[in-house]
Amino acid sequence: MVTTDMTLSEGFGDAGDPAAAAPPVSVLGRAFALLGAFGPAAPRLTLTDLAARSGLALSTTHRLAGELVRLGALERSDGWYCPGMRLFELAQLSRPIAYLRQAALPFMEDLYEATHQIINLGVLDGGEVVYIERISGHQAADVPSRIGGRFPAYCTGLGKAQLAFLPRARCEELFAGPLAGRTPGSITDAGRLRRELDLVAERGVACDREETEPGIACVAAPVLDRRGQPVAALSVTGAVGRINQAALAPAVRTASLGVARVLRHSVP
């Protein structure tokens, strides 16, 4: 059966400025600092940008970037660096994620055919949700989710659908600090969030009401293992006016139960 690492970090939030932490000492740590300098707003960087965002000296950045290009981890063109094909190849070898995507895709396709809205699959990673698969059409709403992207779990339907089924003690660790809002609709009060998660656990579905992006709503349901612990979640996402949360909830719930059933009978 597929399992994922559900260890929670000390709080919700963005990854932050790559240069905010002290530069790592080891060669491997420095190499990962360079790779971590890239992001949705910085898919390609100059050598100077790489040095600034990683916190490394320009000479060190030049040497390590050259080695990463030779290894295929980075690509270089016209003075710009971007993540290389070798990283994509390695990412596809993550067995738990590969099995999860394989199990979920048929159900995601059924949901798309029924709704013609964006269908997302996400897993928890600390206090954030990471999007690992997405299906959308040509007329899809403009939403910030992308494969490999992440958001604070408490701001998303995918995240809340999974948080609601974690042990309360583990969730409480996340509520100790302030919850930063992404939009005016984001839940930033720990007490209100606890009450919402209780409702999610009772109903089996979670909703995002313009909490991640203004004008965007979603309905999500968890994929649970045999112990009732969250492995992932599925969601239907679209413009607020096109997402009828009450009408979509049964379909999303049924799809998530289908994925869970397949995973329980799969043998990695």
Side-chain angles (χ1 to χ4, degrees), residues 9-253:
S9 65
E10 293 182 354
F12 291 116
D14 299 326
D17 184 352
V25 176
S26 69
V27 174
L28 184 60
R30 291 175 179 178
F32 268 82
L34 288 185
L35 297 176
F38 297 95
R44 62 175 192 156
L45 298 167
T46 65
L47 188 68
T48 302
D49 292 334
L50 265 176
R53 289 177 63 85
S54 66
L56 301 177
L58 189 61
S59 59
T60 301
T61 301
H62 182 268
R63 174 173 56 81
L64 288 178
E67 184 67 14
L68 290 171
V69 168
R70 285 189 290 274
L71 294 171
L74 290 181
E75 294 179 0
R76 183 176 183 273
S77 177
D78 298 327
W80 293 91
Y81 292 85
C82 66
M85 185 62 69
R86 184 58 178 154
L87 294 181
F88 174 78
E89 294 171 353
L90 291 172
Q92 306 313 300
L93 300 178
S94 171
R95 293 185 61 172
I97 297 302
Y99 281 114
L100 179 56
R101 291 173 63 194
Q102 182 180 2
L105 272 170
F107 297 95
M108 296 177 68
E109 290 167 355
D110 288 345
L111 273 178
Y112 176 75
E113 288 301 322
T115 66
H116 291 285
Q117 302 299 319
I118 297 170
I119 312 301
N120 286 312
L121 174 68
V123 298
L124 284 180
D125 182 30
E128 298 175 316
V129 64
V130 179
Y131 293 76
I132 63 171
E133 190 55 88
R134 166 179 158 137
I135 296 178
S136 63
H138 296 295
Q139 304 300 319
D142 185 15
V143 302
S145 62
R146 64 178 181 84
I147 296 177
R150 60 176 65 218
F151 288 110
Y154 65 92
C155 288
T156 68
L158 287 174
K160 289 188 289 184
Q162 296 174 81
L163 290 175
F165 291 88
L166 289 179
R168 175 55 66 90
R170 298 178 69 185
C171 285
E172 288 295 337
E173 298 176 13
L174 298 175
F175 305 148
L179 305 178
R182 283 184 52 86
T183 73
S186 299
I187 297 175
T188 57
D189 177 74
R192 180 185 168 197
L193 182 56
R194 290 189 194 96
R195 293 190 293 273
E196 171 130 349
L197 294 182
D198 287 340
L199 287 175
V200 172
E202 177 184 332
R203 298 170 179 171
V205 292
C207 298
D208 171 351
R209 310 171 187 85
E210 300 186 79
E211 298 165 51
T212 304
E213 185 77 5
I216 300 298
C218 89
V219 181
V223 176
L224 304 177
D225 64 17
R226 289 188 178 92
R227 301 169 300 161
Q229 294 298 293
V231 173
L234 285 174
S235 71
V236 176
T237 302
V240 169
R242 301 187 65 182
I243 297 296
N244 185 324
Q245 295 172 341
L248 289 173
V252 179
R253 179 67 174 149

